[in-house]
Amino acid sequence: MLPSGRLTSLMISAAGLLAASPALAGDGQPSPWQLGFQKAASPIFEQIHSFHNFILVIIVLVTLFVLALLVYCVVRFNEKSNPVPSKTTHHTMLEVVWTIAPVLILVVIAIPSFRLLYAQYTPPPVDLTIKVVGRQWNWDIVYPDANELTLTAVMLQDSELNGKPRLLAVDNEAVVPVGKVVHVDVTAEDVLHSFALPAFGVKVDAVPGRLNSTWFRADREGVYYGQCSELCGQDHAFMPIAIRVVNEDLYKRWLEAAQKDTDEAKKLLEASVNGAAATNVAQR
């Protein structure tokens, strides 16, 4: 048996972790002890959040109702309370209710579900198109409207991170402007992959010889990370993708620089990010 002092310490630590976890939901990436989804950075993921919470309420209510029925049956119909058991085998109204009630619940769920599906597959007018190509084991990001500018995103090794998230950071981040509708064409070169960015509510299979598509509109600047979500082979766990969302002016300058020299474009991004960080520190 644990000493009382140590037991108290463990209980306090556990309570602290439980209290802290809801506040650690990731913004653009997963966080330790995260509870729930990452913070929504697109209108589609906002809808996914709302739909999830709505379904969760229904699940809780149904679970509590079933639990109440079980408790009632145990208390009301045990052998002690009913020495002579009832011989009732059918109850027409009860059978009608437990047939119709689940159907009504499914209809209530279906309405927001279809609304969400429609929004996911009916994008607004597109501002920018990028093409994402999966291969063993990295991603190519192609800008068709910028002379087929192609960036190859390879995961950074531990020695290269410089504070960036392990197993998520890449050497070449895709860059898109904030508040713009981005159409994404997704395919693969060799085997099945899956392009997934949780903060945008995006997940679509990359299939060799086939072009799938999705879209997103990032509403906040920052870096958003995703990973291949298909078991694609030996290095499946080391195939991240990163999208940096910037203001439109910086995006235009980056795109112009990247068409000439990708290294210079990366330096431009780093300088802008470091400058913004310094400004934030000064304002505080």
Side-chain angles (χ1 to χ4, degrees):
M1 189 172 180
L2 290 172
S4 60
R6 187 178 176 187
L7 181 60
T8 302
S9 176
L10 287 173
M11 291 175 66
I12 292 173
S13 299
L17 288 172
L18 289 172
S21 57
L24 293 175
D27 187 6
Q29 59 180 293
S31 300
W33 295 96
Q34 178 178 317
L35 181 64
F37 294 140
Q38 293 182 23
K39 293 179 182 177
S42 74
I44 289 296
F45 204 36
E46 291 280 2
Q47 289 189 50
I48 293 173
H49 271 261
S50 298
F51 183 60
H52 168 268
N53 294 336
F54 173 68
I55 296 297
L56 185 60
V57 171
I58 293 177
I59 290 171
V60 170
L61 292 176
V62 170
T63 302
L64 292 176
F65 176 70
V66 173
L67 177 62
L69 287 179
L70 287 173
V71 171
Y72 176 77
C73 290
V74 169
V75 173
R76 176 68 179 80
F77 300 108
N78 60 67
E79 184 179 7
K80 184 177 179 180
S81 300
N82 292 272
V84 180
S86 170
K87 295 183 180 181
T88 302
T89 57
H90 295 283
H91 190 291
T92 303
M93 182 55 67
L94 185 60
E95 292 184 6
V96 169
V97 169
W98 73 38
T99 300
I100 293 179
V103 173
L104 294 177
I105 292 172
L106 291 176
V107 169
V108 169
I109 292 174
I111 293 171
S113 173
F114 291 155
R115 188 182 298 122
L116 174 59
L117 284 172
Y118 181 81
Q120 286 179 309
Y121 292 99
T122 311
V126 173
D127 299 304
L128 169 68
T129 297
I130 62 175
K131 182 179 179 181
V132 178
V133 183
R135 64 164 61 90
Q136 294 175 313
W137 283 276
N138 54 62
W139 298 94
D140 271 357
I141 304 97
V142 184
Y143 291 77
D145 300 328
N147 299 319
E148 295 291 323
L149 169 66
T150 302
L151 306 173
T152 299
V154 178
M155 187 187 77
L156 294 179
Q157 301 302 309
D158 290 356
S159 58
E160 304 172 305
L161 292 176
N162 292 326
K164 295 180 179 180
R166 184 173 179 270
L167 301 182
L168 291 175
V170 297
D171 57 351
N172 286 304
E173 300 167 344
V175 180
V176 299
V178 66
K180 299 296 183 180
V181 177
V182 181
H183 175 89
V184 187
D185 289 325
V186 182
T187 188
E189 269 194 2
D190 35 46
V191 299
L192 289 173
H193 299 282
S194 185
F195 173 77
L197 274 160
F200 296 159
V202 167
K203 184 177 184 295
V204 60
D205 286 343
V207 183
R210 177 169 177 168
L211 197 66
N212 290 329
S213 64
T214 185
W215 72 279
F216 65 85
R217 190 192 76 205
D219 291 335
R220 294 197 312 277
E221 294 184 30
V223 185
Y224 300 91
Y225 297 97
Q227 293 174 299
C228 175
S229 296
E230 189 73 56
L231 293 174
C232 59
Q234 174 184 342
D235 287 341
H236 158 71
F238 310 103
M239 192 177 167
I241 189 167
I243 292 185
R244 183 179 292 276
V245 181
V246 299
N247 63 68
E248 190 170 3
D249 177 65
L250 178 56
Y251 169 74
K252 289 178 179 178
R253 289 189 287 125
W254 170 86
L255 189 61
E256 183 180 353
Q259 293 179 74
K260 299 174 183 176
D261 188 330
T262 54
D263 289 334
E264 289 300 320
K266 282 198 285 187
K267 291 178 182 177
L268 172 65
L269 277 181
E270 291 172 2
S272 300
V273 171
N274 292 337
T279 301
N280 290 336
V281 170
Q283 290 175 346
R284 290 174 186 174

